[in-house]
């Protein structure tokens, strides 16, 4: 079932809120706010798909509300339609320059209001679909490297601000080249999809991100998780991939089973930490896991800004 889109209506006149709500309630989830301050708070908390904003309101008028919404990273991308009885071109120009997406003139006409809103909600859907396609790996349907890079930058800053842990796992499918050589790239693509499906199930949490980094390498971002918490999840994933029991053969003989190796790092970053060094620490752990026999996890934790050289944790199957 498709989630219903949400429209926030900000207007100090109760009658206007009732009229707009009656027009929209069969098509969208309507959120009502009776003042500019209340509207800003609800926009931040509920992240509507569209905002209908009255221009003339006491205390904080629509122009001031617009400026605050457009200067907040949490609300700056939400499309806004001004609703106004003003017919002055200067006011309309001011609103558009501030970032309004459209104007609806009072008195309100049901068909026009509904048509304008449906148009902008359709544009929102199309924009989100394009963003999703731009951030999804087409073979595995996981996030792609671009999405990971955006996410790690955001989560790194949040970890610094809130002083909490952040963990990162880099995963590589063992002997993947040999599998491709034995069975062909089409079969290799099937393996990538099956392993990716395991990752989706094992890292199924709204705060986690698993992405295909390139080839047979994946990254998993685990915000606010300690080393021990991360290791528990990653070890379960290691076993789940092994239980797929995907064999590869050479000269009609079974020579191995598809497994994964994992390198991970955990730290509580500060402004002096380097995000590239953090990734490099996890990558070094992956190198050790591959070197020491594959199908295992190596993990490092620590808070040294130049060298996250804490205790190593190894998991052998």
């Amino acid at each position: 079932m498709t989630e219903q889109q949400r429209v926030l209506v900000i207007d100090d006149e109760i009658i206007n809120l009732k009229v707009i709500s009656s027009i929209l309630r069969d098509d969208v989830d309507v959120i009502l706010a009776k003042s500019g301050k209340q509207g800003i708070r609800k926009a931040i908390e509920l992240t509507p798909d569209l905002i209908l904003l009255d221009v003339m309101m006491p205390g904080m008028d629509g122009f001031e509300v617009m400026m605050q919404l457009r200067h907040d990273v949490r609300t700056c991308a939400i499309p806004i339609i001004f609703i106004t009885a003003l017919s002055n071109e200067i006011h309309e120009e001011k609103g558009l320059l501030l970032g309004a997406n459209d104007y609806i003139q009072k008195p309100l006409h049901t068909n026009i209001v509904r048509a304008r809103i449906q148009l902008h909600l359709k544009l929102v859907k199309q924009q989100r679909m394009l963003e999703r396609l731009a951030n999804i790996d087409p073979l595995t349907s996981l996030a792609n490297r671009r999405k990971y890079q955006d996410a790690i930058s955001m989560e790194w800053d949040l970890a610094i601000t809130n002083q909490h842990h952040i963990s990162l796992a880099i995963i590589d499918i063992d002997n993947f080249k040999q599998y491709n050589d034995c069975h062909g790239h089409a079969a290799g693509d099937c393996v990538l999809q099956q392993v990716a499906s395991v990752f989706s199930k094992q890292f199924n949490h709204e705060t986690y991100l698993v992405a295909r980094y390139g080839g047979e390498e994946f990254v998993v971002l685990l915000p606010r998780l300690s080393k021990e918490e991360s290791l528990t999840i990653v070890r379960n994933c290691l076993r789940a991939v092994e239980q797929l029991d995907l064999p590869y053969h050479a000269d009609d003989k079974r020579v191995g089973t598809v497994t994964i190796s994992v390198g991970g790092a955990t730290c509580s970053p500060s402004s002096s930490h380097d995000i590239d060094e953090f990734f490099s620490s996890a990558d070094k752990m992956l190198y050790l896991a591959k070197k020491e026999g594959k199908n295992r996890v190596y993990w490092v934790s620590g808070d040294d800004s130049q060298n996250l050289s804490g205790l190593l944790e190894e998991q052998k199957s």
Side-chain angles (χ1 to χ4, degrees):
M1 184 176 179
T2 304
E3 186 177 348
Q4 199 169 33
Q5 289 180 287
R6 289 184 288 188
V7 175
L8 170 63
V9 186
I10 308 173
D11 196 314
D12 66 303
E13 294 287 343
I14 300 298
I15 185 64
N16 289 336
L17 293 175
K18 288 182 177 179
V19 169
I20 297 172
S21 180
S22 68
I23 294 172
L24 301 179
R25 62 189 175 197
D26 291 337
D27 303 316
V28 299
D29 182 11
V30 182
I31 306 163
L32 303 178
K34 295 184 289 184
S35 69
K37 287 185 178 180
Q38 187 182 62
I40 291 171
R41 177 175 58 79
K42 289 190 175 184
I44 293 170
E45 291 176 357
L46 303 174
T47 57
D49 298 285
L50 179 68
I51 296 174
L52 303 185
L53 175 60
D54 185 28
V55 174
M56 302 301 293
M57 293 187 294
M60 180 185 292
D61 66 18
F63 296 124
E64 188 176 350
V65 173
M66 166 73 78
M67 285 190 288
Q68 291 200 26
L69 292 171
R70 287 291 177 252
H71 284 89
D72 191 312
V73 68
R74 296 166 292 183
T75 57
C76 62
I78 302 173
I80 298 175
I81 299 177
F82 266 139
I83 298 178
T84 181
L86 300 174
S87 57
N88 190 315
E89 291 181 0
I90 294 176
H91 286 100
E92 185 171 346
E93 179 185 13
K94 179 179 179 181
L96 293 172
L97 289 174
L98 286 173
N101 297 78
D102 203 351
Y103 257 84
I104 295 178
Q105 293 284 342
K106 295 179 181 178
L108 300 174
H109 299 281
T110 298
N111 292 339
I112 292 176
V113 172
R114 184 176 285 119
R116 292 278 182 88
I117 290 171
Q118 286 178 347
L119 171 62
H120 285 282
L121 289 176
K122 182 179 180 180
L123 292 173
V124 168
K125 281 185 176 180
Q126 291 173 342
Q127 178 64 28
R128 289 182 177 171
M129 184 178 294
L130 290 173
E131 290 173 354
R132 182 179 182 278
L133 290 173
N135 290 315
I136 294 296
D137 173 62
L139 178 64
T140 64
S141 296
L142 297 176
N144 60 16
R145 184 168 177 170
R146 171 184 171 180
K147 176 63 176 177
Y148 158 74
Q149 289 173 331
D150 289 343
I152 185 68
S153 296
M154 181 185 71
E155 292 294 348
W156 185 262
D157 290 342
L158 285 172
I160 292 173
T161 300
N162 299 321
Q163 298 182 327
H164 59 59
H165 287 100
I166 185 169
S167 292
L168 173 68
I170 305 177
I171 304 174
D172 188 80
I173 299 178
D174 297 325
N175 305 312
F176 189 70
K177 182 180 182 304
Q178 291 92 322
Y179 190 97
N180 273 340
D181 291 344
C182 292
H183 301 285
H185 289 279
D189 286 348
C190 288
V191 167
L192 287 171
Q193 291 170 332
Q194 290 181 76
V195 172
S197 180
V198 170
F199 294 164
S200 294
K201 293 174 183 176
Q202 295 294 320
F203 302 109
N204 183 23
H205 190 282
E206 60 182 8
T207 63
Y208 306 160
L209 177 77
V210 55
R212 187 182 179 195
Y213 197 74
E216 67 271 25
E217 192 168 81
F218 300 81
V219 288
V220 183
L221 186 59
L222 301 166
R224 293 177 288 282
L225 288 195
S226 66
K227 177 184 69 177
E228 291 76 17
E229 293 168 326
S230 302
L231 278 168
T232 297
I233 299 171
V234 170
R235 286 168 176 162
N236 289 336
C237 185
L238 197 84
R239 287 190 288 269
V241 171
E242 192 172 20
Q243 288 169 5
L244 288 174
D245 193 28
L246 299 173
Y248 59 94
H249 302 79
D251 299 326
D252 295 326
K253 293 181 180 180
R254 177 169 174 156
V255 294
T257 302
V258 172
T259 57
I260 58 173
S261 294
V262 186
T266 298
C267 75
S268 297
S270 67
S271 57
S272 62
H273 283 78
D274 186 280
I275 194 170
D276 293 330
E277 180 64 27
F278 179 58
F279 183 91
S280 178
S281 297
D283 198 40
K284 290 173 183 175
M285 295 301 101
L286 174 62
Y287 172 80
L288 285 176
K290 302 287 278 189
K291 182 181 178 182
E292 295 300 317
K294 305 175 184 177
N295 192 25
R296 64 196 65 206
V297 181
Y298 273 88
W299 206 277
V300 66
S301 67
D303 293 317
D304 186 287
S305 61
Q306 299 300 319
N307 179 22
L308 297 175
S309 56
L311 296 175
L312 297 182
E313 291 287 341
E314 179 183 3
Q315 166 68 33
K316 297 183 179 180
S317 297

PDB file of all heavy atoms in Angstrom, residues 276-304:
ATOM      1  N   ASP A 276      38.527  10.098   6.234  1.00  0.00           N
ATOM      2  CA  ASP A 276      39.224   9.201   5.311  1.00  0.00           C
ATOM      3  C   ASP A 276      40.096   8.199   6.066  1.00  0.00           C
ATOM      4  O   ASP A 276      40.236   7.042   5.667  1.00  0.00           O
ATOM      5  CB  ASP A 276      40.083  10.010   4.333  1.00  0.00           C
ATOM      6  CG  ASP A 276      39.236  10.844   3.376  1.00  0.00           C
ATOM      7  OD1 ASP A 276      38.106  10.413   3.065  1.00  0.00           O
ATOM      8  OD2 ASP A 276      39.700  11.925   2.946  1.00  0.00           O
ATOM      9  N   GLU A 277      40.677   8.642   7.166  1.00  0.00           N
ATOM     10  CA  GLU A 277      41.481   7.744   7.992  1.00  0.00           C
ATOM     11  C   GLU A 277      40.598   6.672   8.637  1.00  0.00           C
ATOM     12  O   GLU A 277      41.007   5.516   8.799  1.00  0.00           O
ATOM     13  CB  GLU A 277      42.212   8.539   9.073  1.00  0.00           C
ATOM     14  CG  GLU A 277      43.093   7.706   9.995  1.00  0.00           C
ATOM     15  CD  GLU A 277      44.257   7.034   9.281  1.00  0.00           C
ATOM     16  OE1 GLU A 277      44.712   7.569   8.246  1.00  0.00           O
ATOM     17  OE2 GLU A 277      44.699   5.968   9.746  1.00  0.00           O
ATOM     18  N   PHE A 278      39.384   7.070   8.985  1.00  0.00           N
ATOM     19  CA  PHE A 278      38.411   6.130   9.544  1.00  0.00           C
ATOM     20  C   PHE A 278      38.113   5.011   8.538  1.00  0.00           C
ATOM     21  O   PHE A 278      38.154   3.819   8.868  1.00  0.00           O
ATOM     22  CB  PHE A 278      37.138   6.889   9.909  1.00  0.00           C
ATOM     23  CG  PHE A 278      36.037   6.038  10.480  1.00  0.00           C
ATOM     24  CD1 PHE A 278      36.226   5.280  11.628  1.00  0.00           C
ATOM     25  CD2 PHE A 278      34.783   6.021   9.877  1.00  0.00           C
ATOM     26  CE1 PHE A 278      35.200   4.507  12.159  1.00  0.00           C
ATOM     27  CE2 PHE A 278      33.750   5.257  10.404  1.00  0.00           C
ATOM     28  CZ  PHE A 278      33.963   4.499  11.541  1.00  0.00           C
ATOM     29  N   PHE A 279      37.851   5.395   7.298  1.00  0.00           N
ATOM     30  CA  PHE A 279      37.601   4.403   6.246  1.00  0.00           C
ATOM     31  C   PHE A 279      38.842   3.545   6.026  1.00  0.00           C
ATOM     32  O   PHE A 279      38.757   2.316   5.874  1.00  0.00           O
ATOM     33  CB  PHE A 279      37.209   5.105   4.942  1.00  0.00           C
ATOM     34  CG  PHE A 279      36.872   4.156   3.823  1.00  0.00           C
ATOM     35  CD1 PHE A 279      35.566   3.737   3.631  1.00  0.00           C
ATOM     36  CD2 PHE A 279      37.852   3.672   2.966  1.00  0.00           C
ATOM     37  CE1 PHE A 279      35.236   2.849   2.606  1.00  0.00           C
ATOM     38  CE2 PHE A 279      37.545   2.794   1.953  1.00  0.00           C
ATOM     39  CZ  PHE A 279      36.235   2.375   1.769  1.00  0.00           C
ATOM     40  N   SER A 280      39.992   4.180   6.017  1.00  0.00           N
ATOM     41  CA  SER A 280      41.249   3.459   5.798  1.00  0.00           C
ATOM     42  C   SER A 280      41.488   2.417   6.881  1.00  0.00           C
ATOM     43  O   SER A 280      41.999   1.322   6.604  1.00  0.00           O
ATOM     44  CB  SER A 280      42.418   4.451   5.751  1.00  0.00           C
ATOM     45  OG  SER A 280      43.639   3.787   5.584  1.00  0.00           O
ATOM     46  N   SER A 281      41.110   2.737   8.130  1.00  0.00           N
ATOM     47  CA  SER A 281      41.277   1.781   9.231  1.00  0.00           C
ATOM     48  C   SER A 281      40.445   0.531   9.000  1.00  0.00           C
ATOM     49  O   SER A 281      40.910  -0.596   9.200  1.00  0.00           O
ATOM     50  CB  SER A 281      40.879   2.437  10.550  1.00  0.00           C
ATOM     51  OG  SER A 281      41.723   3.521  10.846  1.00  0.00           O
ATOM     52  N   ALA A 282      39.183   0.715   8.562  1.00  0.00           N
ATOM     53  CA  ALA A 282      38.334  -0.435   8.263  1.00  0.00           C
ATOM     54  C   ALA A 282      38.885  -1.223   7.090  1.00  0.00           C
ATOM     55  O   ALA A 282      38.861  -2.466   7.081  1.00  0.00           O
ATOM     56  CB  ALA A 282      36.907   0.034   7.977  1.00  0.00           C
ATOM     57  N   ASP A 283      39.418  -0.523   6.105  1.00  0.00           N
ATOM     58  CA  ASP A 283      39.968  -1.183   4.919  1.00  0.00           C
ATOM     59  C   ASP A 283      41.197  -2.025   5.277  1.00  0.00           C
ATOM     60  O   ASP A 283      41.408  -3.117   4.730  1.00  0.00           O
ATOM     61  CB  ASP A 283      40.334  -0.119   3.880  1.00  0.00           C
ATOM     62  CG  ASP A 283      40.494  -0.703   2.491  1.00  0.00           C
ATOM     63  OD1 ASP A 283      39.690  -1.585   2.115  1.00  0.00           O
ATOM     64  OD2 ASP A 283      41.407  -0.272   1.765  1.00  0.00           O
ATOM     65  N   LYS A 284      41.998  -1.516   6.195  1.00  0.00           N
ATOM     66  CA  LYS A 284      43.157  -2.287   6.654  1.00  0.00           C
ATOM     67  C   LYS A 284      42.721  -3.562   7.373  1.00  0.00           C
ATOM     68  O   LYS A 284      43.366  -4.610   7.239  1.00  0.00           O
ATOM     69  CB  LYS A 284      44.024  -1.428   7.580  1.00  0.00           C
ATOM     70  CG  LYS A 284      44.765  -0.306   6.864  1.00  0.00           C
ATOM     71  CD  LYS A 284      45.469   0.604   7.855  1.00  0.00           C
ATOM     72  CE  LYS A 284      46.151   1.766   7.130  1.00  0.00           C
ATOM     73  NZ  LYS A 284      46.744   2.746   8.089  1.00  0.00           N
ATOM     74  N   MET A 285      41.635  -3.462   8.119  1.00  0.00           N
ATOM     75  CA  MET A 285      41.110  -4.654   8.790  1.00  0.00           C
ATOM     76  C   MET A 285      40.606  -5.675   7.773  1.00  0.00           C
ATOM     77  O   MET A 285      40.769  -6.885   7.955  1.00  0.00           O
ATOM     78  CB  MET A 285      39.985  -4.275   9.753  1.00  0.00           C
ATOM     79  CG  MET A 285      40.407  -3.395  10.925  1.00  0.00           C
ATOM     80  SD  MET A 285      41.690  -4.148  11.967  1.00  0.00           S
ATOM     81  CE  MET A 285      43.153  -3.273  11.350  1.00  0.00           C
ATOM     82  N   LEU A 286      40.010  -5.202   6.697  1.00  0.00           N
ATOM     83  CA  LEU A 286      39.561  -6.109   5.641  1.00  0.00           C
ATOM     84  C   LEU A 286      40.759  -6.812   5.006  1.00  0.00           C
ATOM     85  O   LEU A 286      40.720  -8.026   4.751  1.00  0.00           O
ATOM     86  CB  LEU A 286      38.785  -5.334   4.573  1.00  0.00           C
ATOM     87  CG  LEU A 286      38.368  -6.143   3.334  1.00  0.00           C
ATOM     88  CD1 LEU A 286      37.431  -7.286   3.721  1.00  0.00           C
ATOM     89  CD2 LEU A 286      37.705  -5.232   2.304  1.00  0.00           C
ATOM     90  N   TYR A 287      41.829  -6.075   4.800  1.00  0.00           N
ATOM     91  CA  TYR A 287      43.049  -6.673   4.242  1.00  0.00           C
ATOM     92  C   TYR A 287      43.567  -7.795   5.147  1.00  0.00           C
ATOM     93  O   TYR A 287      43.936  -8.878   4.672  1.00  0.00           O
ATOM     94  CB  TYR A 287      44.117  -5.600   4.062  1.00  0.00           C
ATOM     95  CG  TYR A 287      45.470  -6.139   3.677  1.00  0.00           C
ATOM     96  CD1 TYR A 287      45.741  -6.500   2.357  1.00  0.00           C
ATOM     97  CD2 TYR A 287      46.473  -6.302   4.630  1.00  0.00           C
ATOM     98  CE1 TYR A 287      46.976  -7.013   2.000  1.00  0.00           C
ATOM     99  CE2 TYR A 287      47.707  -6.814   4.291  1.00  0.00           C
ATOM    100  CZ  TYR A 287      47.957  -7.168   2.971  1.00  0.00           C
ATOM    101  OH  TYR A 287      49.182  -7.690   2.621  1.00  0.00           O
ATOM    102  N   LEU A 288      43.557  -7.552   6.462  1.00  0.00           N
ATOM    103  CA  LEU A 288      44.011  -8.581   7.399  1.00  0.00           C
ATOM    104  C   LEU A 288      43.088  -9.801   7.367  1.00  0.00           C
ATOM    105  O   LEU A 288      43.562 -10.946   7.413  1.00  0.00           O
ATOM    106  CB  LEU A 288      44.058  -8.010   8.815  1.00  0.00           C
ATOM    107  CG  LEU A 288      45.213  -7.060   9.145  1.00  0.00           C
ATOM    108  CD1 LEU A 288      45.043  -6.508  10.552  1.00  0.00           C
ATOM    109  CD2 LEU A 288      46.555  -7.774   9.020  1.00  0.00           C
ATOM    110  N   ALA A 289      41.783  -9.563   7.299  1.00  0.00           N
ATOM    111  CA  ALA A 289      40.835 -10.677   7.257  1.00  0.00           C
ATOM    112  C   ALA A 289      41.055 -11.541   6.020  1.00  0.00           C
ATOM    113  O   ALA A 289      40.993 -12.779   6.091  1.00  0.00           O
ATOM    114  CB  ALA A 289      39.402 -10.140   7.274  1.00  0.00           C
ATOM    115  N   LYS A 290      41.333 -10.905   4.897  1.00  0.00           N
ATOM    116  CA  LYS A 290      41.586 -11.667   3.666  1.00  0.00           C
ATOM    117  C   LYS A 290      42.924 -12.412   3.768  1.00  0.00           C
ATOM    118  O   LYS A 290      43.025 -13.591   3.402  1.00  0.00           O
ATOM    119  CB  LYS A 290      41.621 -10.719   2.465  1.00  0.00           C
ATOM    120  CG  LYS A 290      40.366  -9.898   2.261  1.00  0.00           C
ATOM    121  CD  LYS A 290      39.203 -10.700   1.726  1.00  0.00           C
ATOM    122  CE  LYS A 290      39.289 -10.852   0.236  1.00  0.00           C
ATOM    123  NZ  LYS A 290      38.043 -11.454  -0.328  1.00  0.00           N
ATOM    124  N   LYS A 291      43.902 -11.731   4.290  1.00  0.00           N
ATOM    125  CA  LYS A 291      45.244 -12.304   4.397  1.00  0.00           C
ATOM    126  C   LYS A 291      45.281 -13.494   5.347  1.00  0.00           C
ATOM    127  O   LYS A 291      46.011 -14.476   5.117  1.00  0.00           O
ATOM    128  CB  LYS A 291      46.223 -11.224   4.882  1.00  0.00           C
ATOM    129  CG  LYS A 291      47.664 -11.688   4.989  1.00  0.00           C
ATOM    130  CD  LYS A 291      48.553 -10.561   5.494  1.00  0.00           C
ATOM    131  CE  LYS A 291      49.999 -11.027   5.664  1.00  0.00           C
ATOM    132  NZ  LYS A 291      50.864  -9.939   6.209  1.00  0.00           N
ATOM    133  N   GLU A 292      44.505 -13.443   6.413  1.00  0.00           N
ATOM    134  CA  GLU A 292      44.539 -14.472   7.446  1.00  0.00           C
ATOM    135  C   GLU A 292      43.616 -15.654   7.167  1.00  0.00           C
ATOM    136  O   GLU A 292      43.408 -16.491   8.027  1.00  0.00           O
ATOM    137  CB  GLU A 292      44.204 -13.859   8.810  1.00  0.00           C
ATOM    138  CG  GLU A 292      45.226 -12.855   9.305  1.00  0.00           C
ATOM    139  CD  GLU A 292      46.604 -13.469   9.461  1.00  0.00           C
ATOM    140  OE1 GLU A 292      46.685 -14.608   9.977  1.00  0.00           O
ATOM    141  OE2 GLU A 292      47.588 -12.828   9.062  1.00  0.00           O
ATOM    142  N   GLY A 293      43.031 -15.732   5.963  1.00  0.00           N
ATOM    143  CA  GLY A 293      42.279 -16.924   5.617  1.00  0.00           C
ATOM    144  C   GLY A 293      40.862 -16.712   5.124  1.00  0.00           C
ATOM    145  O   GLY A 293      40.176 -17.663   4.763  1.00  0.00           O
ATOM    146  N   LYS A 294      40.368 -15.471   5.136  1.00  0.00           N
ATOM    147  CA  LYS A 294      39.034 -15.138   4.625  1.00  0.00           C
ATOM    148  C   LYS A 294      37.927 -15.716   5.513  1.00  0.00           C
ATOM    149  O   LYS A 294      38.198 -16.408   6.487  1.00  0.00           O
ATOM    150  CB  LYS A 294      38.872 -15.595   3.174  1.00  0.00           C
ATOM    151  CG  LYS A 294      39.963 -15.053   2.249  1.00  0.00           C
ATOM    152  CD  LYS A 294      39.855 -15.615   0.838  1.00  0.00           C
ATOM    153  CE  LYS A 294      41.022 -15.120  -0.010  1.00  0.00           C
ATOM    154  NZ  LYS A 294      41.017 -15.676  -1.382  1.00  0.00           N
ATOM    155  N   ASN A 295      36.698 -15.405   5.147  1.00  0.00           N
ATOM    156  CA  ASN A 295      35.526 -15.869   5.889  1.00  0.00           C
ATOM    157  C   ASN A 295      35.649 -15.537   7.377  1.00  0.00           C
ATOM    158  O   ASN A 295      35.434 -16.366   8.249  1.00  0.00           O
ATOM    159  CB  ASN A 295      35.331 -17.379   5.689  1.00  0.00           C
ATOM    160  CG  ASN A 295      33.971 -17.850   6.204  1.00  0.00           C
ATOM    161  OD1 ASN A 295      33.030 -17.072   6.269  1.00  0.00           O
ATOM    162  ND2 ASN A 295      33.883 -19.116   6.589  1.00  0.00           N
ATOM    163  N   ARG A 296      35.990 -14.301   7.669  1.00  0.00           N
ATOM    164  CA  ARG A 296      36.184 -13.871   9.052  1.00  0.00           C
ATOM    165  C   ARG A 296      36.086 -12.349   9.150  1.00  0.00           C
ATOM    166  O   ARG A 296      36.035 -11.642   8.148  1.00  0.00           O
ATOM    167  CB  ARG A 296      37.533 -14.345   9.585  1.00  0.00           C
ATOM    168  CG  ARG A 296      38.736 -13.763   8.867  1.00  0.00           C
ATOM    169  CD  ARG A 296      39.980 -14.561   9.184  1.00  0.00           C
ATOM    170  NE  ARG A 296      39.849 -15.916   8.644  1.00  0.00           N
ATOM    171  CZ  ARG A 296      40.499 -16.974   9.157  1.00  0.00           C
ATOM    172  NH1 ARG A 296      41.321 -16.825  10.178  1.00  0.00           N
ATOM    173  NH2 ARG A 296      40.342 -18.167   8.622  1.00  0.00           N
ATOM    174  N   VAL A 297      36.075 -11.864  10.378  1.00  0.00           N
ATOM    175  CA  VAL A 297      35.954 -10.440  10.658  1.00  0.00           C
ATOM    176  C   VAL A 297      37.156  -9.968  11.461  1.00  0.00           C
ATOM    177  O   VAL A 297      37.559 -10.625  12.425  1.00  0.00           O
ATOM    178  CB  VAL A 297      34.676 -10.139  11.479  1.00  0.00           C
ATOM    179  CG1 VAL A 297      34.553  -8.641  11.753  1.00  0.00           C
ATOM    180  CG2 VAL A 297      33.440 -10.649  10.774  1.00  0.00           C
ATOM    181  N   TYR A 298      37.723  -8.841  11.068  1.00  0.00           N
ATOM    182  CA  TYR A 298      38.687  -8.133  11.905  1.00  0.00           C
ATOM    183  C   TYR A 298      38.123  -6.737  12.163  1.00  0.00           C
ATOM    184  O   TYR A 298      37.586  -6.092  11.260  1.00  0.00           O
ATOM    185  CB  TYR A 298      40.057  -8.031  11.225  1.00  0.00           C
ATOM    186  CG  TYR A 298      40.952  -9.217  11.462  1.00  0.00           C
ATOM    187  CD1 TYR A 298      40.911 -10.322  10.635  1.00  0.00           C
ATOM    188  CD2 TYR A 298      41.845  -9.222  12.537  1.00  0.00           C
ATOM    189  CE1 TYR A 298      41.735 -11.413  10.867  1.00  0.00           C
ATOM    190  CE2 TYR A 298      42.670 -10.310  12.768  1.00  0.00           C
ATOM    191  CZ  TYR A 298      42.614 -11.401  11.936  1.00  0.00           C
ATOM    192  OH  TYR A 298      43.418 -12.479  12.168  1.00  0.00           O
ATOM    193  N   TRP A 299      38.274  -6.299  13.397  1.00  0.00           N
ATOM    194  CA  TRP A 299      37.676  -5.002  13.774  1.00  0.00           C
ATOM    195  C   TRP A 299      38.654  -4.205  14.624  1.00  0.00           C
ATOM    196  O   TRP A 299      39.397  -4.757  15.428  1.00  0.00           O
ATOM    197  CB  TRP A 299      36.396  -5.239  14.576  1.00  0.00           C
ATOM    198  CG  TRP A 299      35.409  -4.118  14.476  1.00  0.00           C
ATOM    199  CD1 TRP A 299      35.380  -2.961  15.184  1.00  0.00           C
ATOM    200  CD2 TRP A 299      34.292  -4.067  13.582  1.00  0.00           C
ATOM    201  NE1 TRP A 299      34.313  -2.189  14.815  1.00  0.00           N
ATOM    202  CE2 TRP A 299      33.622  -2.849  13.829  1.00  0.00           C
ATOM    203  CE3 TRP A 299      33.791  -4.929  12.604  1.00  0.00           C
ATOM    204  CZ2 TRP A 299      32.480  -2.470  13.123  1.00  0.00           C
ATOM    205  CZ3 TRP A 299      32.656  -4.560  11.917  1.00  0.00           C
ATOM    206  CH2 TRP A 299      32.012  -3.341  12.176  1.00  0.00           C
ATOM    207  N   VAL A 300      38.659  -2.908  14.424  1.00  0.00           N
ATOM    208  CA  VAL A 300      39.520  -2.026  15.203  1.00  0.00           C
ATOM    209  C   VAL A 300      38.663  -0.932  15.821  1.00  0.00           C
ATOM    210  O   VAL A 300      37.682  -0.483  15.237  1.00  0.00           O
ATOM    211  CB  VAL A 300      40.640  -1.412  14.325  1.00  0.00           C
ATOM    212  CG1 VAL A 300      40.070  -0.479  13.275  1.00  0.00           C
ATOM    213  CG2 VAL A 300      41.683  -0.690  15.164  1.00  0.00           C
ATOM    214  N   SER A 301      39.031  -0.533  17.031  1.00  0.00           N
ATOM    215  CA  SER A 301      38.330   0.579  17.663  1.00  0.00           C
ATOM    216  C   SER A 301      39.334   1.451  18.383  1.00  0.00           C
ATOM    217  O   SER A 301      40.390   1.000  18.806  1.00  0.00           O
ATOM    218  CB  SER A 301      37.273   0.082  18.651  1.00  0.00           C
ATOM    219  OG  SER A 301      37.888  -0.554  19.753  1.00  0.00           O
ATOM    220  N   GLY A 302      39.009   2.696  18.516  1.00  0.00           N
ATOM    221  CA  GLY A 302      39.898   3.621  19.204  1.00  0.00           C
ATOM    222  C   GLY A 302      39.526   5.042  18.860  1.00  0.00           C
ATOM    223  O   GLY A 302      38.754   5.307  17.948  1.00  0.00           O
ATOM    224  N   ASP A 303      40.089   5.974  19.582  1.00  0.00           N
ATOM    225  CA  ASP A 303      39.740   7.373  19.398  1.00  0.00           C
ATOM    226  C   ASP A 303      40.929   8.247  19.036  1.00  0.00           C
ATOM    227  O   ASP A 303      40.836   9.468  19.075  1.00  0.00           O
ATOM    228  CB  ASP A 303      39.105   7.927  20.674  1.00  0.00           C
ATOM    229  CG  ASP A 303      37.753   7.292  20.936  1.00  0.00           C
ATOM    230  OD1 ASP A 303      36.994   7.147  19.970  1.00  0.00           O
ATOM    231  OD2 ASP A 303      37.487   6.936  22.100  1.00  0.00           O
ATOM    232  N   ASP A 304      42.061   7.616  18.674  1.00  0.00           N
ATOM    233  CA  ASP A 304      43.214   8.395  18.251  1.00  0.00           C
ATOM    234  C   ASP A 304      42.933   8.955  16.858  1.00  0.00           C
ATOM    235  O   ASP A 304      42.580   8.227  15.940  1.00  0.00           O
ATOM    236  CB  ASP A 304      44.466   7.521  18.217  1.00  0.00           C
ATOM    237  CG  ASP A 304      45.715   8.331  17.926  1.00  0.00           C
ATOM    238  OD1 ASP A 304      45.883   8.745  16.766  1.00  0.00           O
ATOM    239  OD2 ASP A 304      46.495   8.554  18.863  1.00  0.00           O
TER     240      ASP A 304
END
